[in-house]
Amino acid sequence: MANKDENNKNLEYHLNKVFEISETFGVSDPLDKCKYRELIAAQKLGHNLFKGASGGKYNDDTYGADATDEDNNKVEYKSAKMTKTQYEKYLRGSLRKKYSMVYNGAYDESSISRYTNIRHILNIFYKAKMVVSVEVPTDYVIETLSKNLKYDNNRRANGEIVTTNCNSVGVQFIDNKPTMGVVL
């Protein structure tokens, strides 16, 4: 077994390689907000990943999306992590878990409507491995985000302090199959 100094050198070496590879795709920091997952998803799904961050309230070209598909449609990636136990259940065909797609830019109806003409894909990872991708219907995403916003606005009207971030859309898996959407 390697000593700690050797392990540290190996870790630094491999992380530097990750940064070098990512830069060939125009991504300077693959570890920021799990950008490496978007890199992996775009490559596996044959999409063109946007360079840099896609957010930005006034950025209509990329707002609400991370990539474009083969038909030049915008695609928003959301990712979630599997634990070792969940991955083992997935391998046995018995995964039962609800994963969340978190939309921090869905804080009012106008912002939510900007997600209307975008494909929404949930990519689930075990460590660095993309295990499964699910295309979640846009109508379901918009409906869920709007319902959550209405609920939060009612809470605000009652004097509660409620964050404008973390508007989530859930995708339930039963026996490895999503109850909403299509596995890609």
Side-chain angles (χ1 to χ4, degrees), residues 6-19:
E6 288 176 46
N7 282 341
N8 188 43
K9 287 178 185 174
N10 283 332
L11 181 61
E12 286 178 10
Y13 172 82
H14 289 288
L15 283 171
N16 278 325
K17 288 295 179 192
V18 167
F19 277 85

Side-chain angles (χ1 to χ4, degrees), residues 104-164:
N104 287 327
Y107 46 82
D108 59 30
E109 284 299 333
S110 175
S111 299
I112 291 171
S113 70
R114 294 178 77 184
Y115 289 108
T116 301
N117 295 316
I118 297 175
R119 293 175 62 195
H120 300 264
I121 298 176
L122 171 61
N123 300 304
I124 303 174
F125 286 79
Y126 175 63
K127 297 184 179 183
K129 178 183 176 63
M130 190 168 85
V131 177
V132 63
S133 292
V134 178
E135 181 156 2
V136 179
T138 299
D139 290 347
Y140 174 72
V141 170
I142 300 300
E143 178 183 315
T144 304
L145 293 174
S146 295
K147 186 187 326 177
N148 293 345
L149 178 63
K150 183 177 179 182
Y151 174 76
D152 286 347
N153 284 340
N154 286 337
R155 290 175 57 203
R156 284 183 192 95
N158 289 327
E160 287 185 59
I161 298 172
V162 181
T163 182
T164 57

